[in-house]
Amino acid sequence: PRRTSSKRVPRQMDTNPVAYWNEQAKDYDENIFSTIDEDTTKVITRTLDMYANKEEGPRGRCVDLGCGAGKYLPALASRFRHVVGYDLSPKLVHLARKEAVARGATNVEVGVRDLSKVWFVGGKATPRAFASGSDFVGDVTEMESYGFAVMANVLIAPVSDHVRTVMLENAYRALCPGGKLLAVVPSMESALYVNMRCAETNCASVYDVIISPTQS
């Protein structure tokens, strides 16, 4: 019998993340776990309630970094005066816009933007943060223009520690002084389960870092 190769099959998420997420958009609800829809403990909802703000200025502005199909946008729209969502997938951005319209969230804008690129240099937005043909809906003076930011399952992307640092720096510099970031990450149980299923199919897992942690 032919032996099965021990080499892990690379994920398209590694080599072409835009194509990967565009593909996931076809059956997003079936393929992707929605942390806010499955928030049975209401810890996410309570956090949003705690920092909700509809005043003019940065405190009433919220940004969803890596908004996907826009699952958080209706909840954010009901709690903040103005909401901006960004994702690197044009097809997910299309779904997010449809979600906002369907839920009557008229204070929401959504655009294509790559969180893994440096967004700000010297207080200005950098052109390389935007893919060719993308539509930037935010303000060019976005630095320190939001009172609240959301990053739901974004930091689990299979990227280097340097890229994760860039993502967090973009979030930090987008927030005004005293602004808050809600970062949602999977539980250890969820990560270990995904590792197990990927091992069964001989596919590299997004959570391989748990097995082979990054050296400090």
Side-chain angles (χ1 to χ4, degrees), residues 84-209:
V84 174
Y86 289 122
D87 200 275
L88 56 73
S89 163
K91 290 189 176 181
L92 286 180
V93 165
H94 176 69
L95 290 181
R97 287 173 175 160
K98 287 179 63 178
E99 177 79 4
V101 170
R103 301 287 289 274
T106 58
N107 57 335
V108 172
E109 294 180 273
V110 189
V112 179
R113 200 171 184 187
D114 189 345
L115 187 60
S116 70
K117 307 298 183 184
V118 176
W119 285 11
F120 306 106
V121 174
K124 295 182 179 180
T126 60
R128 57 183 169 170
F130 313 108
S132 175
S134 65
D135 48 332
F136 174 46
V137 300
D139 193 305
V140 293
T141 59
E142 273 193 303
M143 190 170 173
E144 298 187 353
S145 67
Y146 298 99
F148 194 80
V150 173
M151 294 175 70
N153 281 355
V154 172
L155 295 174
I156 65 172
V159 295
S160 66
D161 288 345
H162 169 72
V163 172
R164 287 193 183 89
T165 299
V166 169
M167 292 176 172
L168 287 169
E169 285 180 346
N170 287 334
Y172 174 77
R173 300 189 75 183
L175 288 168
C176 67
K180 304 297 181 182
L181 168 66
L182 170 61
V184 181
V185 295
S187 67
M188 179 65 76
E189 291 83 357
S190 176
L192 291 174
Y193 176 76
V194 171
N195 271 356
M196 180 187 71
R197 293 302 303 273
C198 287
E200 291 173 354
T201 58
N202 203 35
C203 177
S205 168
V206 70
Y207 304 120
D208 280 348
V209 66

Side-chain angles (χ1 to χ4, degrees), residues 9-56:
V9 178
R11 300 163 301 235
Q12 187 184 28
M13 194 192 304
D14 292 340
T15 57
N16 192 336
V18 174
Y20 174 85
W21 286 111
N22 280 340
E23 182 68 21
Q24 296 305 310
K26 295 178 181 178
D27 297 294
Y28 190 87
D29 289 339
E30 295 181 13
N31 295 337
I32 306 301
F33 182 84
S34 171
T35 53
I36 192 165
D37 290 338
E38 302 298 331
D39 180 26
T40 57
T41 64
K42 302 301 179 185
V43 63
I44 294 174
T45 302
R46 290 197 304 271
T47 302
L48 297 182
D49 288 340
M50 185 183 304
Y51 296 107
N53 195 316
K54 291 200 170 186
E55 67 183 44
E56 293 278 3

